[in-house]
Amino acid sequence: MICAISGEAPEDPVVSKKSGLLFERRLIERYIQDHGRCPVTKEELTMDDIVPVKTEKIVKPRPLQAASIPGLLGMFQNEWDALMLSNLSLEQQLHTARQELSHALYQHDAACRVIARLKKERDEARLLLSQAERQLPAETAPALSNGKRAVEDVVGPDGKRIRPGIVSATVDELAEYNKMLSAQRKQREIPETLAPIDALERYTQISSHPLHKTNKPGILSIDIHPSKDLIATGGVDTNAVIFDRASGQISSTLTGHSKKITSLKFVGRDELFITGSADKTVRLWQGNDDGTYNCAHILKDHTAEVQAVTVQATKKYFVSASMDNTWCFYDLSTGTCLQQVGDPAQDGYTTAAFHPDGLILGTGTSDSLVKIWDIKTQAFVTNFEGHSGPVTAMSFSENGYFLATAASDGVRLWDLRKLRNFRTFSPYDANTPTNSVEFDFSGSYLAIAGSDIRVYQVANVKLEWNLIKTFPDLSGTGKVTSVKFGADAKYMAVGSMDRNLRIFGIPGDETDNQMTDME
């Protein structure tokens, strides 16, 4: 009598009323509990259909093979052969499972690659679509922030656009603001919170942030928000990046230009931001509550690379300067070019900056001249001659008396009261141009940048301007392109021809400075 499940003689036999089959009680009970049917006939079966079989408890006889040594050896040999065959079967199954697993992993990896490629193509398509949507209204008819349409460009008989011009009301506004700023400047004192000279002597690199793409490295322009702890960088990769120094994170990446961004500026009001590019356009960006920016206007008044953008003191107007020998005066609220001033006899403009009072504009040219303009009349006032090579940067001191200009021969300081050059710094050799020059807001320090960064103490026309410290170019490129002082000169932001924004300050004071800025 053999169990229909185990194939062995049962110790506690039971029989099914329906099928008449014999089972081991513990086995059939478990099967009925799990499946509720007969394991052989597959009919429904319950424990009520099971009848126990009463048997005599006897000792199982030993098989005939176990009665002799040769029989035992034969049994052991059979068991060994069965074990070897079982191991072979397991190895074959393991090999097959490994092959199936490898194939499944390969398919999964291939599927992930395809999905990643499709996502990248989708994101690129979305980006192109968003850029097209931004450019469409600017190309058809510039839309204003109040929902009205800008006045269409009027072309004169000579084929040139006729500009609205800077009207007398605007001139009066600029003059009134200039008068107010001049009065304030005479009463302004150096703030007690300004970083002292011994603090600048201890400055070193406290952080480095890779903000731009690796395939087109290079930061060409830097600006710092006047009231927020935000740093903007413009790169060769055509992107402008807004960096939150307090959190150490990128707040927003502005895409849309098709060539490198040469200049950028925070306006300082209404969350407006300006970028100028080698693609001949200027873009006006509107900030959102979440820290992102949308392109509000695309300005296409220039016919060559835009080299500089600078904001007027009222923060209602700005100027762009281009290699097409013209500079444009814009209304920020509408994105309208009020006046385009050109000089046919002049080479292209390489840099531009407003005087702190807002009525004087300085421009640098590719043939080494520094030109001063009167904004009220848009008339040329004077030339500053003496540089060799293109003028790469300029900065007015906040006291309104000094102008610093940079070129391949170094930095020249100009006295705006007597219109003369009173001091020259030539820190580098003839093959190393000075790429950036910057006064801090208090007018106490001057930073210049080329193959390194040097900070000078600002004095007057007669006294010596002492070198406070020289900072090496840690990018390894040998070309520092831009330098900017933070609030109260508590830190310096430096851009070079690599993808990293570098912050110089006092080690350990970064957190304290951030907390002070946030307060």
Side-chain angles (χ1 to χ4, degrees):
M1 301 180 69
I2 304 300
C3 174
I5 296 177
S6 65
E8 298 179 355
E11 296 180 358
D12 187 6
V14 294
V15 67
S16 171
K17 294 180 182 179
K18 294 185 177 181
S19 62
L21 295 172
L22 187 71
F23 301 100
E24 177 73 56
R25 176 185 286 274
R26 57 184 177 82
L27 296 179
I28 192 62
E29 284 182 350
R30 184 175 302 170
Y31 193 89
I32 291 175
Q33 183 179 356
D34 294 340
H35 302 283
R37 62 183 64 191
C38 176
V40 178
T41 63
K42 304 303 179 183
E43 297 177 352
E44 292 186 3
L45 191 67
T46 65
M47 289 306 298
D48 295 335
D49 299 325
I50 299 300
V51 178
V53 178
K54 294 182 180 180
T55 58
E56 186 91 24
K57 297 296 182 182
I58 60 174
V59 179
K60 296 180 181 179
R62 287 187 295 176
L64 293 177
Q65 292 87 343
S68 63
I69 291 177
L72 288 172
L73 293 176
M75 289 177 60
F76 294 153
Q77 183 65 46
N78 292 337
E79 289 292 332
W80 177 258
D81 293 344
L83 180 60
M84 292 298 102
L85 291 173
S86 177
N87 285 342
L88 176 62
S89 177
L90 290 175
E91 288 180 357
Q92 291 176 341
Q93 293 177 5
L94 177 61
H95 180 68
T96 302
R98 282 179 174 175
Q99 287 183 329
E100 293 176 351
L101 178 60
S102 176
H103 183 67
L105 290 176
Y106 176 78
Q107 287 183 324
H108 179 268
D109 182 64
C112 290
R113 290 175 181 270
V114 171
I115 292 172
R117 179 174 58 82
L118 292 176
K119 284 185 176 180
K120 181 179 178 181
E121 292 177 355
R122 180 202 64 187
D123 294 340
E124 290 176 351
R126 286 179 175 175
L127 178 60
L128 292 174
L129 179 61
S130 64
Q131 292 177 1
E133 290 175 347
R134 290 173 182 172
Q135 294 176 4
L136 184 60
E139 293 175 352
T140 55
L144 308 187
S145 57
N146 58 8
K148 298 180 181 178
R149 297 170 65 87
V151 178
E152 298 287 344
D153 288 332
V154 180
V155 179
D158 57 355
K160 296 183 179 180
R161 300 175 186 174
I162 300 176
R163 304 297 182 182
I166 303 177
V167 298
S168 58
T170 302
V171 172
D172 293 341
E173 179 187 16
L174 299 180
E176 186 67 25
Y177 208 82
N178 170 269
K179 183 178 179 181
M180 181 189 68
L181 290 177
S182 299
Q184 292 178 353
R185 183 165 289 105
K186 295 178 181 179
Q187 301 175 359
R188 189 169 60 88
E189 297 180 355
I190 297 177
E192 297 180 356
T193 55
L194 180 70
I197 294 177
D198 60 345
L200 267 73
E201 292 175 344
R202 292 184 287 128
Y203 278 8
T204 184
Q205 179 176 308
I206 56 178
S207 63
S208 177
H209 309 278
L211 304 184
H212 293 270
K213 296 179 180 178
T214 56
N215 58 340
K216 291 183 178 180
I219 294 176
L220 302 179
S221 181
I222 285 180
D223 195 31
I224 298 177
H225 197 287
S227 60
K228 296 182 180 180
D229 205 2
L230 299 176
I231 303 174
T233 61
V236 179
D237 61 356
T238 74
N239 293 337
V241 176
I242 309 297
F243 176 75
D244 188 338
R245 191 176 73 96
S247 65
Q249 301 294 323
I250 294 176
S251 174
S252 181
T253 299
L254 282 57
T255 60
H257 284 292
S258 59
K259 293 185 179 180
K260 62 185 179 182
I261 293 179
T262 55
S263 182
L264 46 75
K265 288 291 181 182
F266 285 107
V267 175
R269 71 170 184 88
D270 299 336
E271 301 301 328
L272 295 174
F273 183 68
I274 309 168
T275 55
S277 171
D279 64 6
K280 308 176 187 178
T281 67
V282 176
R283 288 182 178 242
L284 182 59
W285 306 82
Q286 177 65 61
N288 302 315
D289 294 337
D290 58 358
T292 60
Y293 285 78
N294 295 326
C295 182
H297 298 286
I298 302 175
L299 312 176
K300 301 181 179 181
D301 298 286
H302 290 292
T303 58
E305 293 185 7
V306 177
Q307 291 290 329
V309 291
T310 178
V311 180
Q312 205 269 342
T314 60
K315 297 181 175 56
K316 295 181 180 180
Y317 309 97
F318 77 96
V319 161
S320 63
S322 169
M323 290 297 290
D324 64 1
N325 309 336
T326 68
W327 55 267
C328 293
F329 187 87
Y330 288 97
D331 184 340
L332 269 168
S333 62
T334 64
T336 303
C337 178
L338 301 179
Q339 190 68 41
Q340 186 168 13
V341 181
D343 187 353
Q346 184 65 57
D347 285 347
Y349 295 114
T350 53
T351 184
F354 265 111
H355 187 274
D357 289 341
L359 288 184
I360 296 176
L361 175 70
T363 58
T365 68
S366 57
D367 59 352
S368 72
L369 291 179
V370 177
K371 302 176 73 69
I372 304 299
W373 303 81
D374 182 357
I375 291 297
K376 291 188 295 183
T377 61
Q378 304 94 60
F380 165 70
V381 177
T382 186
N383 272 337
F384 288 152
E385 300 179 359
H387 275 301
S388 62
V391 180
T392 55
M394 62 171 49
S395 177
F396 285 94
S397 173
E398 189 62 25
N399 63 13
Y401 299 150
F402 304 135
L403 169 64
T405 57
S408 58
D409 58 348
V411 172
R412 290 179 179 268
L413 298 175
W414 309 88
D415 186 349
L416 298 176
R417 294 164 292 185
K418 298 184 179 181
L419 303 179
R420 67 182 183 89
N421 170 223
F422 67 91
R423 186 161 281 100
T424 300
F425 300 121
S426 300
Y428 313 118
D429 57 52
N431 298 323
T432 305
T434 304
N435 300 312
S436 180
V437 60
E438 183 73 22
F439 283 101
D440 80 302
F441 183 75
S442 70
S444 301
Y445 304 115
L446 174 70
I448 66 176
S451 59
D452 55 27
I453 307 105
R454 304 187 183 203
V455 179
Y456 291 84
Q457 180 184 11
V458 173
N460 55 32
V461 174
K462 296 181 179 180
L463 297 179
E464 189 64 30
W465 295 41
N466 297 320
L467 176 63
I468 297 175
K469 187 169 183 179
T470 300
F471 302 92
D473 174 26
L474 300 179
S475 70
T477 61
K479 189 175 181 181
V480 181
T481 58
S482 49
V483 60
K484 197 82 174 178
F485 284 101
D488 292 329
K490 293 294 179 62
Y491 69 92
M492 291 193 308
V494 175
S496 306
M497 285 307 292
D498 66 348
R499 59 195 290 253
N500 294 303
L501 167 67
R502 289 177 168 82
I503 307 296
F504 287 79
I506 298 178
D509 287 358
E510 184 178 14
T511 303
D512 297 338
N513 292 341
Q514 292 171 0
M515 292 298 294
T516 302
D517 292 337
M518 286 188 289
E519 290 174 359

